[in-house]
Amino acid sequence: SAYSKQKIIIYIMIKKFLPLSTIILILLFSGCNKDNEDLIRGKWQLRHIDMPNNSQISTDSVFYSFQLNIFELATLVRGNDFSAEKANGIYSIKTDSIFMTITPSFMSTALKSPYYGWHTAEKNFAIKKLDHSALILSCNDTIYTFRKF
């Protein structure tokens, strides 16, 4: 009958196109992570932190650097030599979030800086904006705004 022929044609079309559409969706979603990974690579200068109580902390001496799943936090210390306090760790990007873990030997440095806001060895940030010149991260209602350096 005509109805069973239509069912067979629809079944064949689904069987042929479902794997292709699945591959396309996987590539699209994995492409987002790759794009974010490419965009975040490099050095970012923290410009300000918007706190949950509506106060804002401005800075020009804190830098986050990202490269090949390793990150560095650096704060320039004003003095005769402009030295930097640094902390290192690893990161991973999942869709619209970045998960960072401080290396244990650098935990005391991360804990003492008011600009980092680290209270544990791990932190998960939502990526609110990421392009070639701006990065905005959010964690526990605190917003971190960066510019590419």
Side-chain angles (χ1 to χ4, degrees):
S1 79
Y3 177 72
S4 61
K5 285 183 184 180
Q6 283 180 336
K7 279 179 74 174
I8 292 171
I9 291 171
I10 290 171
Y11 174 77
I12 292 171
M13 289 176 64
I14 289 173
K15 193 171 178 175
K16 284 186 176 186
F17 291 111
L18 187 61
L20 179 61
S21 62
T22 303
I23 291 170
I24 289 170
L25 285 173
I26 289 170
L27 290 174
L28 284 173
F29 285 112
S30 66
C32 292
N33 285 348
K34 176 121 175 69
D35 289 345
N36 282 348
E37 179 63 43
D38 289 342
L39 286 170
I40 205 164
R41 190 173 295 132
K43 190 173 198 174
W44 296 87
Q45 182 182 35
L46 181 62
R47 303 301 292 150
H48 56 85
I49 303 168
D50 297 310
M51 306 299 284
N53 64 3
N54 294 324
S55 66
Q56 187 179 79
I57 302 170
S58 295
T59 182
D60 63 356
S61 60
V62 176
F63 299 87
Y64 281 48
S65 299
F66 300 94
Q67 182 82 26
L68 301 174
N69 297 97
I70 296 173
F71 74 92
E72 176 185 78
L73 307 177
T75 302
L76 295 179
V77 179
R78 300 201 193 296
N80 293 337
D81 61 356
F82 278 99
S83 62
E85 292 181 346
K86 296 181 179 180
N88 296 308
I90 58 172
Y91 74 93
S92 62
I93 293 179
K94 303 277 191 250
T95 313
D96 289 331
S97 65
I98 182 168
F99 184 75
M100 293 188 249
T101 304
I102 294 281
T103 304
S105 59
F106 290 102
M107 200 54 215
S108 64
T109 302
L111 286 172
K112 72 180 181 180
S113 175
Y115 298 110
Y116 299 155
W118 290 74
H119 306 291
T120 62
E122 299 174 339
K123 209 160 182 183
N124 191 26
F125 294 92
I127 300 172
K128 297 296 186 183
K129 179 180 182 179
L130 175 57
D131 60 31
H132 289 71
S133 62
L135 170 62
I136 299 175
L137 300 177
S138 171
C139 182
N140 298 329
D141 297 323
T142 302
I143 309 294
Y144 300 81
T145 302
F146 300 83
R147 73 175 177 109
K148 190 76 171 208
F149 192 75

